[in-house]
Amino acid sequence: MNITSRLMMVAVVMLLLLASGARAQQSEASKIEIGAQFSSLTMFPPRETASGLSVSVGLKQTEPGFGLRFTYNLNNHLALEAEGNFFPHRELMQRTTGGRVVQGQFGLKAGKRFEKFGIFAKARPGFVSYGEVLSHVGEETFDFNGQPFTFLTLQPERRTYFSMDVGAALELYPSRRVVARFDAGDTIIRQGRTPDSGPIIFEPTPPSSTHNFQFSAGLALRLLIPSTDNDETQTSGTNAPRFEIGAQFSSLSLNSVERSAGGGVGFGSVSAQTEFHDTQTAPGFGGRFTYNVTDHFALEAEGNFFPHKHMFINEGRGGGRISQGQFGARVGRRWNSFGLFGKARPGLVSFSRAFTVDVFRTGEFERRTHFSFDLGGVLEFYPSRRVVARFDAGDTIIRYGSSSLFIPNFFPSGTLSQTPAETRHNFQFTAGVGFRF
């Protein structure tokens, strides 16, 4: 289990301990909930056997997606639910994974519901389906110096595996009709037998299971709410406390452009003809401090850390672990149960292992920091005067500085390629909970 999933599990345990001291008064559950969510699925590659050695094939990848959820509450403590998610980014085609991912989970949610929030455990079997997996469709035999060689014929096909979603869910109830929900857990994927890749590379492997951290955050509308003699007293969101301290999960999708030199593979100059576009998504966590100047205007600072080590990003100007800091303003409108805001926050994005080449053409890895600007929208919900659930979505604009890259060629000296400063637009989604005082 990676560092992100461990911290999420620690947060769930802390919430369970906090709930033990909460008031016993319960929020009456509605029969039906229909919701939508953002989801981040970090997938770990299975281990395969090559020449008798067990190795990991491929890289750990995090895919951002979106989906829908339907919940039928049997009572205040037990519910049946179904959830479907779609991850639109096309993964690299491999023997067990690849293409766009579709997920469906169907199962139980059980826990405790309080007046303004609920904490639940979930166990939901289902499936994860990959759109482009290298599959064995036939064989071809070639004669080389009188010796026959047989190779498998592989082509991309959809492959679907059994999955099991085990984890926890935190729900906040800003009103009788609305639920803000945060899920964290382990999505266990049972991947089938992989084919032989021929006499040279990988051997066939039996079915195996991988453990994959998944975080989801979304909103739901509650239907068929039981009637009550007393109307629910709404907590006013106006005249908000001056200060807020919050913690959040964040998903940063980095748009990357790598250029080839002279039609070859690797990094090269801007004038090269070949460009490779890709997106690398980094899951992370962080904290936020907000000072509400008025109900409509606030100053805030936010920091995030993305623990996964990345390879080259944007021709080596990024890589390694990522740290982010944004400082700016939030402006909008606050109602009784929710608020809508726009945000504009300049800041910095720092990469721990960027690749650089000095004038002596010596390459090395070092920390490199680039200017960033966070521009987007914020949706807040207020289950009580002291608690806020927050969802951020927007464009994190990163200004990558210029760089020099050494491109080997037929001459001993090689070529020193200059890449000018460039701006990249990157989608970022953040969801978290804050305390107001």
Side-chain angles (χ1 to χ4, degrees):
M1 185 179 293
N2 65 4
I3 185 172
T4 308
S5 57
R6 287 175 181 172
L7 288 171
M8 286 297 176
M9 293 306 175
V10 170
V12 170
V13 172
M14 292 176 63
L15 288 169
L16 288 169
L17 293 174
L18 180 64
S20 64
R23 288 182 297 174
Q25 184 178 0
Q26 295 184 4
S27 171
E28 196 69 24
S30 62
K31 281 299 181 184
I32 294 175
E33 297 174 13
I34 298 177
Q37 71 268 341
F38 170 90
S39 190
S40 172
L41 177 59
T42 300
M43 289 172 284
F44 291 81
R47 299 190 69 83
E48 298 196 27
T49 302
S51 302
L53 298 176
S54 179
V55 296
S56 291
V57 180
L59 299 173
K60 177 179 70 174
Q61 295 191 28
T62 297
E63 299 298 343
F66 53 89
L68 298 173
R69 176 177 58 85
F70 175 85
T71 299
Y72 180 77
N73 291 299
L74 300 174
N75 53 48
N76 267 352
H77 306 287
L78 184 65
L80 301 173
E81 53 185 25
E83 178 177 309
N85 294 305
F86 174 62
F87 302 90
H89 177 244
R90 291 180 67 182
E91 282 191 65
L92 179 66
M93 187 164 52
Q94 301 179 67
R95 296 206 304 161
T96 56
T97 63
R100 296 181 173 91
V101 182
V102 177
Q103 177 191 24
Q105 305 293 155
F106 318 90
L108 292 172
K109 177 189 76 173
K112 178 76 171 178
R113 191 185 303 268
F114 300 90
E115 182 181 7
K116 292 297 182 180
F117 70 97
I119 296 179
F120 303 89
K122 59 178 181 176
R124 308 185 302 187
F127 66 87
V128 172
S129 183
Y130 297 87
E132 296 175 283
V133 178
L134 282 175
S135 301
H136 178 200
V137 295
E139 297 179 355
E140 291 188 37
T141 301
F142 298 91
D143 184 82
F144 183 74
N145 291 335
Q147 181 72 28
F149 285 87
T150 300
F151 293 88
L152 300 185
T153 302
L154 303 176
Q155 71 178 28
E157 292 184 346
R158 176 167 294 279
R159 187 81 63 83
T160 301
Y161 306 111
F162 172 80
S163 63
M164 185 73 183
D165 173 28
V166 180
L170 169 66
E171 296 183 347
L172 300 177
Y173 312 123
S175 73
R176 296 190 69 216
R177 294 289 181 187
V178 176
V179 178
R181 175 161 162 166
F182 305 87
D183 290 51
D186 182 9
T187 299
I188 305 167
I189 302 177
R190 181 67 174 174
Q191 293 168 326
R193 181 183 185 275
T194 59
D196 190 343
S197 293
I200 299 176
I201 310 178
F202 293 105
E203 305 167 8
T205 58
S208 61
S209 297
T210 59
H211 296 266
N212 312 275
F213 174 69
Q214 186 166 8
F215 177 87
S216 300
L219 301 172
L221 180 65
R222 307 204 289 185
L223 307 175
L224 301 181
I225 301 177
S227 60
T228 178
D229 295 333
N230 299 319
D231 291 335
E232 181 182 8
T233 301
Q234 296 241 352
T235 301
S236 175
T238 60
N239 297 320
R242 288 292 185 192
F243 302 101
E244 297 176 15
I245 295 178
Q248 73 262 346
F249 170 88
S250 189
S251 172
L252 176 60
S253 296
L254 294 162
N255 279 326
S256 181
V257 178
E258 314 296 349
R259 301 180 177 88
S260 64
V265 178
F267 306 112
S269 66
V270 172
S271 61
Q273 295 181 355
T274 305
E275 290 188 352
F276 174 72
H277 295 256
D278 192 26
T279 300
Q280 299 185 48
T281 299
F285 53 89
R288 174 180 55 84
F289 175 81
T290 298
Y291 174 71
N292 291 301
V293 181
T294 68
D295 271 353
H296 306 289
F297 179 74
L299 300 174
E300 54 187 24
E302 179 179 308
N304 295 305
F305 176 64
F306 304 90
H308 173 57
K309 286 184 178 181
H310 290 263
M311 298 293 286
F312 292 99
I313 299 174
N314 280 307
E315 300 186 298
R317 289 175 289 185
R321 295 186 172 95
I322 305 170
S323 301
Q324 176 190 23
Q326 305 293 155
F327 318 91
R330 184 194 67 184
V331 180
R333 177 77 184 274
R334 196 187 302 270
W335 289 269
N336 279 344
S337 298
F338 70 98
L340 276 173
F341 304 89
K343 60 177 181 176
R345 307 184 305 187
L348 301 170
V349 172
S350 182
F351 298 89
S352 65
R353 282 177 59 84
F355 185 76
T356 60
V357 177
D358 59 25
V359 293
F360 300 105
R361 297 177 182 177
T362 301
E364 62 179 1
F365 290 97
E366 64 181 16
R367 177 170 293 279
R368 193 162 186 190
T369 302
H370 306 286
F371 173 78
S372 62
F373 196 87
D374 174 28
L375 187 65
V378 177
L379 174 63
E380 292 184 344
F381 288 93
Y382 314 117
S384 73
R385 179 171 171 77
R386 295 297 181 186
V387 177
V388 54
R390 173 163 165 162
F391 303 86
D392 293 44
D395 182 8
T396 298
I397 305 167
I398 301 177
R399 180 66 174 175
Y400 291 94
S402 60
S403 65
S404 299
L405 290 167
F406 180 64
I407 310 300
N409 55 26
F410 293 106
F411 299 97
S413 60
T415 303
L416 195 62
S417 173
Q418 297 291 333
T419 302
E422 295 177 305
T423 300
R424 296 276 175 252
H425 296 266
N426 313 275
F427 174 72
Q428 186 166 6
F429 177 87
T430 303
V433 178
F435 178 71
R436 312 196 293 177
F437 61 97

